Amino acid sequence: MARIPTAVVAATGLVGGYGVARWSKKRPLGGVALAAAGAVAAKEWQRQAGGATAAALSGMYVAAFAGSHPLAKKIGTWPSVFAVAGGVAAASWAVVDRRK
């Protein structure tokens, strides 16, 4: 079975977490989606590239989530979510997924 690239998992977690929170009107439910995808991505980052890489990319994932809030005030919510998801996906691809 083919593996889903970690870049896709991480980007989906950020976009999906926001989407779930917005459409369900339950922010904690969006947080569950965000955290679940982040945990899956972190596990794969650790397995494929080691603990230091997993820690760095996990930190970037959390920073992207936090940074999307002030960015949203400047460019809008969806553009902000897509921008930070793209940044995390690009970093994940460059550091982990590109190796395959």
Side-chain angles (χ1 to χ4, degrees), residues 41-86:
K43 182 177 178 182
E44 280 302 302
W45 290 328
Q46 198 281 326
R47 187 183 70 75
Q48 293 181 36
T53 299
L57 288 170
S58 295
M60 184 177 187
Y61 186 81
V62 171
F65 166 70
S68 70
H69 293 82
L71 182 60
K73 292 178 182 176
K74 295 184 184 291
I75 66 171
T77 53
W78 279 112
S80 173
V81 170
F82 288 130
V84 300

Side-chain angles (χ1 to χ4, degrees), residues 13 16-17 20-21 26-39 61:
V20 167
K26 296 187 180 355
R27 289 176 65 145
L29 191 56
V32 168
L34 176 82
Y61 186 81

Side-chain angles (χ1 to χ4, degrees), residues 9-36:
V9 174
T12 301
L14 289 161
V15 173
Y18 175 69
V20 167
R22 180 171 177 139
W23 290 312
S24 71
K25 296 186 172 51
K26 296 187 180 355
R27 289 176 65 145
L29 191 56
V32 168
L34 176 82

